[in-house]
Amino acid sequence: MRVEIWADIACPWCYIGKARFEKGLAAFAHRDGVEIVHRSFELDPQAPAAGDTPVLEMLAGKYGVSREQAEAMEARVAEAAAGEGLGYRSDRMHGNTFDLHRLLHLAKERGVQDALLGALYRANFAEARPLGDAEVLTAVAVAAGLDADEVRRVLADGDAYAEAVRADEREAAELGARGVPFFVIDRRYGISGGQPAEVFRQALEQAWQEQAGEAPVADGGGDGVCVPGAGG
């Protein structure tokens, strides 16, 4: 059974959703028979590569709220993250994630995609490291198991894995995904948002038992979903 997960490193609910999905998967009796594939989705493809906009400033602008209201929004997400044992900082920067997605496709070929995704989430949300800095990003990727020279070559070549990222994004649109995280089980069942672990376990159980079904249809938003326009 295959589970494809569309996500963006800038999305806190993708960070939280990954942890919740893994808990649900751990409680699934046939977990050893599940293949996980991480797919690309950019929430804010127009964001500058430098990643020098404070996330609280970005949120205030995106939702038209005050800084205090943006801080309250972040506090609610931080509480959800803490409930999953995840670190969460609101002093991080917001920026373009295209290079991160390109590296995730390299990592897929090298067998360390999940390790790199987890490392990128931690670096962004728990450590507030500037992933728009090529040397910082390279260090994170190397620690996750990639070769430093290979990482630098990919980052220097803007076309490397670019089509793979675009293909994932086109596929997400075809499936009706308008926000992330978006989980697709065997191309039959779609789950939108960072749902509780038990929801994922039940969906895996149902998909395992049933042999036929319709193509998934995404939920366009709501709690636990990041929608395009900007991360957060």
Side-chain angles (χ1 to χ4, degrees):
M1 187 164 68
R2 169 183 279 200
V3 178
E4 297 163 275
I5 307 171
W6 274 265
D8 192 5
I9 298 88
C11 169
W13 288 109
C14 293
Y15 173 51
I16 294 167
K18 183 176 188 296
R20 290 177 174 175
F21 172 78
E22 288 171 352
K23 287 182 179 178
L25 179 63
F28 177 53
H30 306 288
R31 56 188 173 275
D32 291 341
V34 178
E35 175 194 7
I36 309 299
V37 179
H38 297 288
R39 303 269 187 209
S40 301
F41 190 108
E42 292 174 276
L43 287 166
D44 191 9
Q46 304 308 315
D52 56 1
T53 302
V55 73
L56 289 171
E57 179 181 316
M58 179 277 294
L59 289 171
K62 177 182 179 180
Y63 294 107
V65 299
S66 68
R67 180 183 174 87
E68 290 71 23
Q69 288 171 310
E71 289 174 347
M73 292 165 59
E74 276 286 275
R76 288 193 291 272
V77 181
E79 183 178 3
E84 304 302 327
L86 302 173
Y88 194 86
R89 289 173 55 170
S90 295
D91 59 342
R92 65 191 187 278
M93 296 294 174
H94 172 70
N96 194 288
T97 57
F98 189 61
D99 284 347
L100 281 61
H101 286 294
R102 294 195 300 116
L103 286 182
L104 283 166
H105 280 278
L106 167 65
K108 180 183 177 183
E109 289 187 354
R110 301 295 179 264
V112 293
Q113 188 185 47
D114 189 72
L116 177 59
L117 182 59
L120 291 172
Y121 279 142
R122 287 191 299 274
N124 184 40
F125 291 105
E127 301 165 1
R129 297 176 70 180
L131 295 177
D133 183 306
E135 287 307 307
V136 172
L137 179 54
T138 299
V140 172
V142 169
L146 289 176
D147 176 77
D149 290 338
E150 193 167 31
V151 169
R152 293 189 181 100
R153 282 196 296 272
V154 169
L155 292 178
D157 178 4
D159 291 332
Y161 299 99
E163 177 53 30
V165 176
R166 299 303 183 214
D168 279 354
E169 293 174 337
R170 287 193 299 269
E171 205 161 11
E174 291 168 2
L175 290 172
R178 296 184 294 275
V180 286
F182 184 53
F183 302 78
V184 176
I185 305 175
D186 272 353
R187 290 300 172 103
R188 300 202 306 271
Y189 305 95
I191 302 172
S192 182
Q195 302 290 339
E198 180 59 16
V199 171
F200 289 118
R201 189 200 66 76
Q202 291 176 356
L204 290 167
E205 190 66 42
Q206 180 178 358
W208 189 270
Q209 293 176 357
E210 296 182 9
Q211 299 301 314
E214 299 293 331
V217 177
D219 178 349
D223 289 343
V225 178
C226 295
V227 295

